[in-house]
Amino acid sequence: MDSSLLFLPELLLVASIMAIPALYIATENNKSYSICANMTLALSLLLLVLFWFYPDEVSFEKNSSVYILYSHFKLDTFSQLFKIIFVLTALTVSVLSGSYFEEDEPHQAEYYTLLLSSTLGMMVVASATDFLTLFLGIEISAFSSYAMVAFRKQDDKSTEAGAKYLLIGAFSSALTLYGISLLYALTGSITFEGMRSFFTGLNNGVVSGNFDEVIFISSLFILAGLGFKIAVVPFHAWAPDVYQGAPTPVTTLLAAGSKAMGFVALFRVFLFTMETVSEEWKLIIGIIALASMTIGNLAAITQEDIGRMLAYSSIAQAGYILIAVPALTDDAVSGAIAHISVHAFMKGGAFVIVAGVGAVGLGYSLDSYKGLAARSQLLALSMTVCLLSLVGIPPFAGFISKFLLFYGSLQAGLSGDTWIIALVIAGVLNSALSLYYYLKVIRFMYLYDAVDSKDIEFSNTVRYISFLTILFLAIILPLFWQSLFEICKEATVALMA
Amino acid sequence: MRYIYSFLILLSALIMVPNLASAEDHTVMVGIESNAFVFSPSVLKISPGDNVTFVWTSGMGHNVAQVSDSKSTTYDSGFRSGDPQDGGEWALPSNLTAQDGTLYYVCEPHTGLQMRGQIIIQSTPEIAMEFGDFPWLSYLLIFPLIGSLWILGFRNNPSAPRIIALFTTLFTLGLSIIIFVKAGSGSGFRLMEEYVWAPKMGVSLLLGVDGLSSPMVLLTGIITPLTVIFAWHEKKKPALFFALLLIMQTALFGVFITLDYFVFYIFWEVVLIPMFFLIAIWGGDNKRYASIKFIIYTFTASVVMLVGFMALYFEAGINSFSMIEIAEANTSFNRDFQIWVFAALFIGFAVKIPSVPWHTWLPDAHVEAPTAGSILLAGVMLKMGLYGLMRAAIPALPLGAEYFVPIMVILAIVSILYGAALSLGQEDLKKLVAYSSVSHMGVALLGVATMTELGFAGAVFMMFAHGILSPAMFMVAGVMLHQVGTRDIPKLGGLASYQPTTAGVFVVIFLGSLGLPGMAVFVAELAVFIAFFQSHGYWLILPIFGMVLTAGYHLWALQRSLFGPDSEQIEMKRVHEAPWYEFYPLLALVIIAAFFGIFPSYLMDPITVACYDILAFMGAV
């Protein structure tokens, strides 16, 4: 048993990516693609969890970090935790797509292949040790998701969203690449470790020269690219349109998986590589965080489409998470990692219900949710749990993760940069503000009668997934949040070592 | 009873014997760089048994000699460091710091330059913590929760939910009475339990009751079964209704018995969710607006409070969210910190109390809530604010509380007068009662603002008394709405002749609420006003004037709706004696209010002990 076994999850995905087109040629059965994808993702998830978090069960000798593939891949708790989140998200999306799409939906083989390659890209990003691998992973994932967004070729909204996403995405990637190239020119190294030692040397005076402006400019460019991926102000304009236009399972992938991938990349770059030169980028990230929280929450209030509303809410949540980046302490970053993980479940859970409601023909406006509680208590309860969790009301999981995030950031602010305290207070007040629009959906579900009196049966898949969401967000996580926080702390140590 | 009380006071005084195990060393500089003729610090606060050393830093020839008070300049007896010297040090004999008291001293050659100082010796009282062997308090939390889950299994059965709810609430009533009796009037916390939840962060489910919380537990236990009985014929979604009532009861119990800041916040917020649904689903015409206003207003205030809690946790630095431990660490918080954090906590609590000008959510929420919701809201939920102030804010932040006393006094007086004045102008009976809640809680806030034992005790007694009589008044409004379909006072009139017994009970309730001697509210108001006179003198005229307004609106509402000529605008034939499920709860509340009005000591004893402890704790700073 050696370390290259740890690469097995990715290999499985690669194999499946090649298998599904083969299946397309071999059979006419549209269901086979989703079965193949589901099985691969499930197996991948199992391997990830077993090999990293329960190594004794499989008699595997685990070190705290492992380098494979000629040191292009680093496997540590940070990367494995996020890989689990990516694969779990992809599995949910895959299962959801199985029930969301009709039997005769065209191009399903392409869809599942793209889903798997998107996930593969995210996993590459999580493990990247240098900028080229990172960029490669981002691009693999991004191109797959561009195609997935525009997947429904006959639907105007879908293709428009896809075009927007592609153009803005490609442009942002170009900006990122420019920033990376500047850093490469400056430091002479493309790996994170190499650049980090250069910057540390810069700090100690071992390396002489004043490169502040170059570092500042390159971090701006990289921020522009990564900021697009996590959808923060002012790089957020694509999110509402794309979240609304794309087929809902794809939106789930974007909201839960792609966003987390953006944060993984951001954390690797800013919290590890450029940690020692934080003075250059701290303030700008703080400003972006504040702007995202405020603008995201304010814009969400007036939205009438559930997809757009949740998109703006994602923008705001990204703002909260960014508070931890200038804080730079272990506790703050652990809180951020906890919140990213829990947010994936909360947003994912919400979008699953959006998909369920949309699939039965009720539509995607907020009015579609009127009277949902009468139609399906389970779905309404699950949506309520997800939304209240997003606000941060106890006793749900979202409160705990938000609390950990604000706790860590406040501590950092009290002992370090005092302006972070202002960010925490803004975050807390913004959470109160967000209660309004989340509550709107809850009110519509419980207090209003349905717009039309159709008799609706929701798909079993959606109901099972929403039940699991309630179980996780309302019961499991609140009781066992200490264990989650321990894992996040371990991940932080692995990240910022 | 009196002997037990005084013995326990003596016992708690004995507990304050100096704790020699952790004697600290303190230094007083005789002369500093910038000014050679001062002692630094000139006022030193120490615990009994600590050591004090005087260190000379300037060469101007000083000595240290004890004098009798802060004005005197001649040494006649006591400690003296010897003849004036230029350097070196001198230790104060340790037997002098063994007792509480203040030692004044001067530098003899420089008394004319006012070179004097004082050492204040004060012991930190220990908080008694007694762990019980039977988990009474956990059962108090669990049973309503189990009841609510059980009810949800009977969603389609019209009568099962209310029966299950009644049994559960009667059971918890029994539990709360037992807990109240077991808590007794001792100093410190009883029946404590601790369940560690997140040891790395110091969060644990720490439960315990003392004289401050046991009346609140009793109150919640009393009010909820009466609510269930009053809502006996709820037709719309009864299972969800009673389940929400029981969840609220759990959360309310949780707020009152938890002694850990993190868990306190969780229960505080969890209270909001069932209340929101109760207003939004079973409420009146404007329920949508009222429910949103309620939840967003109170939630915003609570998150500010959360930031305050986190700041307390970090500053205490003991890696524990336990209220007891953080309160014991209050000497390490500097004054500015205390002021800021108290402001943050006060915002959260003031919205809940509710104190003018943050009271505007209350009339809407109360009027639009169903009667059962209003009962729980006015009876128990409003008490959370003052309880939190006394439990979570004041012991941990005494200097901050002291700084805010003038503001609290002003807010309290304004609440009393403004609430009463607004009540006087209301036509809707329920809104009148809602504003009267603002006024009464203003009296309680005034009691807290006096920072005296009697004031605190009066405030807590008012919390209990108002918690009994305000639900009764809401029930009256509910009865009227139920019978004649309107709560508008101008439209009512002459009801008494058609429902004499019920009207009689109504009259007793209203008289009790306005502060008639013999009912509980009078005892509370008396205590608060005496305390306020002791602390602020003739400013008392303002709140006392509020009592005139209070009497005004109560009697006026009573007279216009019950007495006088029969009303033209309602069908007088519909007026009848209230049915059993409305009458008996009213009667029960009247009896309880009268009982505690005539025998207040059953409540006052535990309350006063707890208030004394809180103040003794504050005095430690």
Side-chain angles (χ1 to χ4, degrees):
Chain A
M1 293 266 185
D2 64 306
S3 343
S4 40
L5 267 175
L6 289 168
F7 194 52
L8 207 49
E10 283 91 333
L11 277 180
L12 271 175
L13 287 185
V14 172
S16 201
I17 289 173
M18 294 191 284
I20 294 186
L23 276 175
Y24 175 67
I25 301 175
T27 83
E28 287 282 317
N29 184 0
N30 270 347
K31 283 233 168 290
S32 61
Y33 318 127
S34 82
I35 295 176
C36 178
N38 293 345
M39 275 181 10
T40 318
L41 287 167
L43 197 55
S44 215
L45 181 64
L46 189 67
L47 288 174
L48 278 170
V49 173
L50 272 181
F51 277 117
W52 198 259
F53 292 100
Y54 296 96
D56 310 316
E57 309 284 338
V58 281
S59 15
F60 180 70
E61 275 228 20
K62 179 191 137 177
N63 305 324
S64 63
S65 69
V66 179
Y67 289 88
I68 58 174
L69 294 187
Y70 303 101
S71 300
H72 282 297
F73 251 46
K74 179 183 183 203
L75 301 161
D76 51 22
T77 313
F78 179 75
S79 69
Q80 300 306 93
L81 171 68
F82 277 103
K83 280 186 193 170
I84 290 176
I85 292 179
F86 296 147
V87 174
L88 194 55
T89 308
L91 181 60
T92 312
V93 171
S94 173
V95 169
L96 185 64
S97 317
S99 81
Y100 186 77
F101 294 130
E102 305 290 329
E103 185 74 34
D104 54 357
E105 180 94 28
H107 307 299
Q108 285 196 42
E110 289 94 312
Y111 177 82
Y112 288 102
T113 316
L114 289 170
L115 175 62
L116 290 174
S117 64
S118 190
T119 318
L120 180 66
M122 296 180 198
M123 292 169 84
V124 169
V125 169
S127 276
T129 55
D130 58 65
F131 270 109
L132 276 183
T133 319
L134 186 82
F135 188 71
L136 188 65
I138 294 181
E139 289 305 288
I140 295 176
S141 174
F143 274 94
S144 314
S145 43
Y146 301 154
M148 282 170 78
V149 168
F151 164 68
R152 284 190 154 150
K153 294 204 266 194
Q154 309 303 321
D155 181 9
D156 284 345
K157 276 218 155 85
S158 185
T159 41
E160 178 198 340
K164 244 182 223 178
Y165 192 30
L166 168 65
L167 286 174
I168 304 183
F171 187 61
S172 310
S173 299
L175 289 176
T176 319
L177 203 52
Y178 183 62
I180 295 174
S181 65
L182 271 182
L183 279 182
Y184 176 59
L186 173 64
T187 61
S189 161
I190 197 71
T191 65
F192 293 148
E193 302 266 347
M195 282 200 196
R196 182 187 165 87
S197 49
F198 179 87
F199 289 129
T200 318
L202 207 57
N203 246 9
N204 306 344
V206 170
V207 178
S208 64
N210 183 0
F211 300 109
D212 287 350
E213 293 88 4
V214 184
I215 299 175
F216 177 64
I217 297 284
S218 43
S219 49
L220 265 184
F221 274 100
I222 297 180
L223 257 181
L226 294 179
F228 158 81
K229 260 286 171 271
I230 57 178
V232 284
V233 169
F235 316 108
H236 66 291
W238 62 274
D241 295 319
V242 173
Y243 280 36
Q244 179 186 23
T248 318
V250 178
T251 315
T252 315
L253 184 71
L254 289 181
S258 198
K259 203 182 244 312
M261 175 189 82
F263 274 114
V264 167
L266 196 97
F267 283 11
R268 285 271 192 219
V269 172
F270 287 98
L271 291 178
F272 178 69
T273 316
M274 295 176 70
E275 185 190 359
T276 36
V277 288
S278 61
E279 293 307 315
E280 305 303 324
W281 47 260
K282 255 193 204 177
L283 196 57
I284 200 93
I285 292 194
I287 295 175
I288 289 180
L290 187 61
S292 306
M293 288 186 239
T294 319
I295 293 180
N297 277 320
L298 287 176
I301 291 177
T302 55
Q303 295 306 316
E304 294 197 349
D305 178 286
I306 186 88
R308 294 183 78 89
M309 190 195 93
L310 289 175
Y312 278 112
S313 125
S314 289
I315 294 173
Q317 299 282 340
Y320 303 141
I321 296 171
L322 276 185
I323 297 178
V325 176
L328 275 178
T329 59
D330 274 2
D331 277 333
V333 176
S334 326
I337 293 178
H339 195 59
I340 297 173
S341 323
V342 176
H343 174 256
F345 287 107
M346 301 190 281
K347 259 304 149 45
F351 272 114
V352 163
I353 307 220
V354 173
V357 168
V360 293
L362 283 175
Y364 296 94
S365 77
L366 286 186
D367 286 339
S368 331
Y369 290 85
K370 286 187 175 170
L372 190 64
R375 287 189 165 132
S376 167
Q377 296 234 359
L378 180 63
L379 254 64
L381 183 61
S382 179
M383 191 62 150
T384 308
V385 168
C386 288
L387 293 178
L388 287 181
S389 205
L390 280 165
V391 180
I393 283 193
F396 302 115
F399 162 69
I400 291 169
S401 63
K402 245 190 200 173
F403 174 79
L404 292 171
L405 170 63
F406 289 145
Y407 160 89
S409 313
L410 188 64
Q411 188 175 41
L414 283 172
S415 51
D417 298 307
T418 329
W419 52 271
I420 296 184
I421 302 181
L423 282 180
V424 173
I425 295 181
V428 152
L429 289 175
N430 269 306
S431 301
L433 178 62
S434 68
L435 181 59
Y436 174 71
Y437 57 84
Y438 290 127
L439 209 55
K440 209 198 273 189
V441 180
I442 299 176
R443 278 192 306 127
F444 278 14
M445 289 194 294
Y446 282 97
L447 308 181
Y448 286 71
D449 294 322
V451 173
D452 55 49
S453 51
K454 282 192 280 187
D455 215 5
I456 306 281
E457 267 290 321
F458 293 100
S459 89
N460 277 334
T461 317
V462 171
R463 289 165 67 215
Y464 285 138
I465 300 180
S466 22
F467 176 70
L468 288 174
T469 315
I470 300 176
L471 200 65
F472 184 72
L473 287 179
I475 299 177
I476 296 184
L477 212 103
L479 285 177
F480 299 109
W481 60 274
Q482 184 82 8
S483 333
L484 167 75
F485 195 49
E486 287 306 303
I487 298 177
C488 295
K489 270 214 168 135
E490 213 182 297
T492 313
V493 169
L495 168 70
M496 290 175 67
Chain B
M1 210 57 172
R2 297 286 150 208
Y3 294 108
I4 301 175
Y5 175 61
S6 41
F7 172 66
L8 286 165
I9 292 291
L10 191 61
L11 200 61
S12 20
L14 282 177
I15 291 173
M16 298 175 200
V17 163
N19 185 353
L20 296 169
S22 56
E24 279 179 38
D25 297 319
H26 301 269
T27 314
V28 178
M29 314 299 269
V30 184
I32 53 177
E33 265 183 44
S34 45
N35 185 345
F37 300 102
V38 289
F39 291 102
S40 172
S42 60
V43 178
L44 177 67
K45 287 205 172 122
I46 64 174
S47 303
D50 287 353
N51 306 313
V52 182
T53 314
F54 290 89
V55 176
W56 273 249
T57 52
S58 79
M60 299 296 284
H62 305 296
N63 77 341
V64 177
Q66 183 173 11
V67 293
S68 48
D69 57 52
S70 57
K71 298 277 184 287
S72 134
T73 54
T74 46
Y75 163 75
D76 26 277
S77 66
F79 62 83
R80 187 165 181 275
S81 68
D83 288 328
Q85 60 195 75
D86 281 352
E89 28 182 88
W90 179 71
L92 197 64
S94 50
N95 61 306
L96 294 169
T97 60
Q99 300 293 328
D100 279 15
T102 311
L103 303 171
Y104 301 98
Y105 55 86
V106 294
C107 163
E108 279 179 309
H110 300 118
T111 53
L113 294 166
Q114 294 303 312
M115 187 168 174
R116 57 175 68 248
Q118 47 181 276
I119 297 175
I120 304 179
I121 307 160
Q122 214 162 34
S123 48
T124 319
E126 293 233 330
I127 301 184
M129 302 203 296
E130 191 188 296
F131 283 81
D133 41 13
F134 185 76
W136 291 104
L137 295 178
S138 320
Y139 281 164
L140 201 64
L141 285 181
I142 291 176
F143 270 107
L145 210 53
I146 294 180
S148 71
L149 288 173
W150 196 13
I151 287 178
L152 287 176
F154 289 89
R155 270 191 302 245
N156 299 318
N157 189 329
S159 60
R162 59 192 187 188
I163 297 177
I164 297 176
L166 186 61
F167 272 120
T168 316
T169 44
L170 285 176
F171 193 76
T172 41
L173 171 62
L175 271 181
S176 54
I177 293 178
I178 295 176
I179 288 173
F180 178 72
V181 169
K182 271 190 174 302
S185 348
S187 165
F189 297 98
R190 304 254 171 278
L191 302 179
M192 288 185 72
E193 301 165 38
E194 183 166 7
Y195 302 103
V196 180
W197 190 13
K200 297 279 171 63
M201 283 182 58
V203 179
S204 57
L205 185 62
L206 183 65
L207 305 172
V209 283
D210 70 343
L212 177 58
S213 40
S214 57
M216 295 296 109
V217 168
L218 184 65
L219 180 68
T220 315
I222 291 175
I223 294 291
T224 324
L226 297 177
T227 316
V228 170
I229 297 176
F230 198 82
W232 199 249
H233 287 286
E234 180 59 56
K235 291 282 178 297
K236 180 177 174 186
K237 296 190 194 178
L240 188 61
F241 184 82
F242 288 109
L244 284 173
L245 280 183
L246 289 178
I247 295 177
M248 260 207 91
Q249 193 186 26
T250 307
L252 287 167
F253 275 136
V255 168
F256 290 130
I257 61 178
T258 182
L259 295 170
D260 177 289
Y261 277 108
F262 189 77
V263 182
F264 179 83
Y265 179 75
I266 291 185
F267 279 120
W268 182 275
E269 293 292 22
V270 172
V271 169
L272 298 183
I273 303 175
M275 198 69 229
F276 169 76
F277 282 111
L278 278 172
I279 299 179
I281 301 181
W282 292 272
D285 295 325
N286 206 14
K287 59 189 178 186
R288 286 171 192 159
Y289 170 75
S291 54
I292 298 182
K293 190 174 183 181
F294 161 74
I295 200 171
I296 293 188
Y297 212 130
T298 44
F299 182 67
T300 310
S302 326
V303 290
V304 176
M305 184 180 82
L306 179 65
V307 176
F309 284 168
M310 289 202 279
L312 265 180
Y313 171 79
F314 288 126
E315 193 70 12
I318 49 178
N319 202 40
S320 162
F321 272 98
S322 153
M323 288 185 187
I324 301 177
E325 291 180 34
I326 290 184
E328 280 172 353
N330 67 5
T331 43
S332 63
F333 304 147
N334 66 39
R335 188 158 181 267
D336 286 330
F337 172 81
Q338 291 203 21
I339 292 175
W340 277 107
V341 179
F342 189 83
L345 297 191
F346 187 68
I347 291 175
F349 295 129
V351 169
K352 262 299 199 312
I353 288 175
S355 156
V356 172
W358 300 287
H359 68 290
T360 51
W361 61 272
L362 185 74
D364 290 303
H366 262 136
V367 172
E368 303 304 332
T371 313
S374 298
I375 292 173
L376 273 179
L377 182 56
V380 193
M381 246 189 74
L382 293 186
K383 316 301 177 273
M384 277 166 43
L386 272 170
Y387 171 80
L389 196 62
M390 294 175 75
R391 168 74 78 226
I394 291 182
L397 302 164
L399 289 178
E402 200 187 308
Y403 181 80
F404 276 94
V405 159
I407 299 178
M408 283 201 277
V409 168
I410 294 174
L411 288 178
I413 295 180
V414 170
S415 297
I416 296 174
L417 293 174
Y418 190 64
L422 281 174
S423 289
L424 211 45
Q426 291 305 317
E427 292 189 345
D428 182 345
L429 184 62
K430 220 173 176 189
K431 216 166 193 179
L432 182 145
V433 179
Y435 279 113
S436 89
S437 288
V438 174
S439 187
H440 280 126
M441 296 316 279
V443 173
L445 181 60
L446 192 65
V448 172
T450 59
M451 296 289 166
T452 61
E453 183 189 330
L454 189 59
F456 276 16
V460 180
F461 203 89
M462 176 55 115
M463 282 155 66
F464 186 86
H466 179 259
I468 297 288
L469 283 168
S470 181
M473 299 223 292
F474 277 110
M475 284 183 189
V476 168
V479 169
M480 287 190 187
L481 181 67
H482 196 211
Q483 291 189 353
V484 295
T486 180
R487 293 187 305 247
D488 244 18
I489 299 177
K491 291 196 186 144
L492 299 169
L495 294 178
S497 38
Y498 293 84
Q499 45 172 37
T501 322
T502 317
V505 174
F506 286 179
V507 168
V508 177
I509 289 172
F510 269 70
L511 288 178
S513 173
L514 75 84
L516 194 73
M519 304 280 269
V521 171
F522 169 71
V523 178
E525 287 182 347
L526 186 68
V528 167
F529 290 147
I530 293 178
F532 188 60
F533 183 72
Q534 285 174 346
S535 63
H536 285 82
Y538 288 99
W539 283 105
L540 183 60
I541 196 82
L542 290 170
I544 287 275
F545 181 66
M547 293 302 108
V548 176
L549 295 176
T550 307
Y553 67 77
H554 278 104
L555 292 173
W556 201 16
L558 204 58
Q559 193 271 333
R560 283 192 301 169
S561 54
L562 289 183
F563 302 105
D566 288 359
S567 156
E568 305 289 310
Q569 295 159 11
I570 53 173
E571 280 187 49
M572 296 310 289
K573 288 193 295 273
R574 289 175 61 183
V575 180
H576 53 91
E577 293 288 359
W580 66 275
Y581 56 89
E582 288 174 351
F583 184 72
Y584 286 111
L586 282 169
L587 194 61
L589 288 173
V590 166
I591 293 176
I592 296 174
F595 178 75
F596 284 111
I598 301 175
F599 301 107
S601 63
Y602 289 116
L603 273 184
M604 269 305 204
D605 289 343
I607 291 176
T608 351
V609 172
C611 296
Y612 180 79
D613 283 343
I614 295 177
L615 280 169
F617 218 69
M618 286 175 61
V621 175

